[in-house]
Amino acid sequence: MTTDPLLLVSDHVDGTVHLVSVRDGTAAGRIPGRHLSEHAGFLPLPGGRVACVDDRRGELLVLDPYGREPVESAIPVATPAEHLASDPSGRWVAVTTGLGKNAAPWSDLLTVVDLATGDAARVRTRPGEPGVTVLGSDEPLLVLRHREPGALAVHRFPELLAAPPGCPPVTPVASHPLPDDGHGDAQDPSVQRVFAATSEGVHRARRKGEDLVMEEPIPWGAAARGWYLRLDPRRRALWSTLRGGPADPLRWPEWTNQAWCHHLDTGTTTLTELGPGLVFRLALARTVTAFARIHPDGDELVLLAGDATIRRVPLPAMEGAPCRGHTPWEGVQRRAVAASPDADTVAVTRGGHGEVHLVDAETGEEAARVKLDSPLHHGGHAILLPQPDGPDRDTVGR
């Protein structure tokens, strides 16, 4: 197995995880027969390992791309996986369930896992696509972000892990109201503070003992909202993409997009225009934040530097891409973007074509184009290693 920096690319429809050497863009291995949850994403763990969920087999996977065997462990969990998170040490992991291929939330199962022992337990909370964070490592608290009605529900992680068989219902030790439209979660491990995105702004709460103290929300500062939050451990900031414009998804080419960055230590917020169309998840490189923007008039990789300089890298069109008059979600090809705060490479996929562009974040030049032996349906999903191993590691799956 290579020791070069690696890119992991999942074709969750085809059922393959590809390992790619970032140094030269060559294939470094593959893990067949694994249909990973694209929504739960990849969760970096200490030691260059990665957690993810095989939705088809119903397993939490711990991948060790640099080890002798790429699958270190596989632990049964409830699926379809919606969100995935761990504590700062990477020992305590939680998996929530969501929609899957269903039209409405139906599963209320939550799985908690101790990766040090392999112990796992399933309990019932309530359906509704809950987000999750795990605060602290010595006496971990699990915080669920519920919708309709919105709430931050606090549970003691060891009590959940000690639940008896039969998926019993559990009651939180504390609960705090939120707006009903929460979507997007992050935590700042250094101060055990949790963040939740709603239409009103970014709600925040700080751990105090076995409860949370709610704090003033952070406003979006625009007539739009973010549906995604991400911690930037190097610059100590929260990032999101604000989507505005018409609510009708058939008019998605008219959606507006702004990069939203809130600096945790100074409390300052900046907004940067990205352009119209579909922009969702973002990726954090050493010196830039990367966004993939899809639009009928042309796709591009947007690289936003710390001094607000923007570099726009045109991307080749995708067959089966979202088009005018149709939604950008159903039965179409998309793009996944990946980077690492420890690297100067950004990866962006070309859904349906089995291609990955490796781009130099400093220059915007394409360093390599990787051709994989699966199509990367729906754009696939990707993570670039190495990731931070310290206490500021992002503890929410992306």
Side-chain angles (χ1 to χ4, degrees), residues 11-24:
D11 189 327
H12 51 280
V13 178
D14 182 71
T16 304
V17 180
H18 301 272
L19 281 62
V20 176
S21 170
V22 175
R23 190 179 308 278
D24 56 14

Side-chain angles (χ1 to χ4, degrees), residues 186-195 231 236 264-265 392:
Q187 81 150 294
D188 182 358
S190 64
V191 292
Q192 295 192 43
R193 182 177 276 118
V194 63
F195 304 91
L231 174 75
R236 296 248 336 123
L264 295 171
D265 295 332
D392 293 330

Side-chain angles (χ1 to χ4, degrees), residues 32-352:
R34 295 294 185 175
H35 298 261
L36 302 191
S37 168
E38 188 268 345
H39 199 282
F42 287 110
L43 173 67
L45 297 173
R49 300 173 304 146
V50 177
C52 51
V53 177
D54 185 330
D55 247 356
R56 194 171 186 181
R57 295 193 186 191
E59 292 178 332
L60 172 70
L61 304 179
V62 176
L63 305 182
D64 184 5
Y66 299 104
R68 175 172 293 182
E69 295 294 333
V71 180
E72 179 182 283
S73 61
I75 300 171
V77 296
T79 57
E82 187 76 10
H83 292 286
L84 169 67
S86 79
D87 74 296
S89 76
R91 173 178 178 176
W92 314 102
V93 177
V95 181
T96 67
T97 51
L99 288 173
K101 294 294 185 182
N102 300 274
W106 61 280
S107 175
D108 58 0
L109 290 176
L110 162 72
T111 308
V112 291
V113 179
D114 180 354
L115 288 182
T117 64
D119 289 342
R122 299 183 194 183
V123 296
R124 291 178 54 199
T125 57
R126 61 181 172 92
E129 305 174 90
V132 63
T133 48
V134 184
L135 302 182
S137 297
D138 294 331
E139 297 179 342
L141 292 181
L142 184 144
V143 181
L144 292 175
R145 189 258 311 141
H146 286 295
R147 301 175 71 178
E148 298 176 347
L152 287 178
V154 183
H155 299 263
R156 300 183 188 94
F157 200 105
E159 290 184 1
L160 298 177
L161 197 60
C167 304
V170 293
T171 302
V173 297
S175 184
H176 301 271
L178 280 182
D180 290 346
D181 59 359
H183 195 291
D185 309 276
Q187 81 150 294
D188 182 358
S190 64
V191 292
Q192 295 192 43
R193 182 177 276 118
V194 63
F195 304 91
T198 77
S199 59
E200 296 180 1
V202 178
H203 294 255
R204 49 187 171 176
R206 174 177 47 85
R207 177 175 180 172
K208 184 177 182 180
E210 294 187 338
D211 199 355
L212 299 174
V213 176
M214 300 299 293
E215 300 175 332
E216 285 295 315
I218 306 167
W220 294 120
R225 68 158 293 180
W227 297 89
Y228 178 79
L229 284 179
R230 185 157 193 180
L231 174 75
D232 184 340
R234 180 175 293 274
R235 290 171 283 261
R236 296 248 336 123
L238 282 178
W239 285 89
S240 186
T241 303
L242 306 192
R243 180 185 302 155
D248 183 359
L250 297 180
R251 298 175 60 187
W252 68 271
E254 302 171 47
W255 285 346
T256 62
N257 298 280
Q258 296 170 299
W260 182 89
C261 178
H262 178 81
H263 297 274
L264 295 171
D265 295 332
T266 65
T268 58
T269 301
T270 59
L271 294 172
T272 306
E273 297 292 337
L274 298 175
L278 177 64
V279 181
F280 187 43
R281 288 172 174 153
L282 55 93
L284 301 164
R286 194 195 313 270
T287 59
V288 304
T289 304
F291 307 81
R293 185 174 74 88
I294 298 175
H295 194 274
D297 294 338
D299 297 355
E300 62 183 11
L301 177 67
V302 183
L303 304 176
L304 174 59
D307 61 0
T309 301
I310 290 184
R311 181 174 286 108
R312 298 180 182 272
V313 182
L315 297 172
M318 298 179 292
E319 294 182 14
C323 59
R324 288 183 172 89
H326 299 271
T327 75
W329 310 116
E330 304 302 327
V332 293
Q333 302 298 345
R334 293 186 294 274
R335 301 184 186 275
V337 61
S340 169
D342 294 326
D344 293 316
T345 298
V346 175
V348 59
T349 67
R350 188 183 182 201

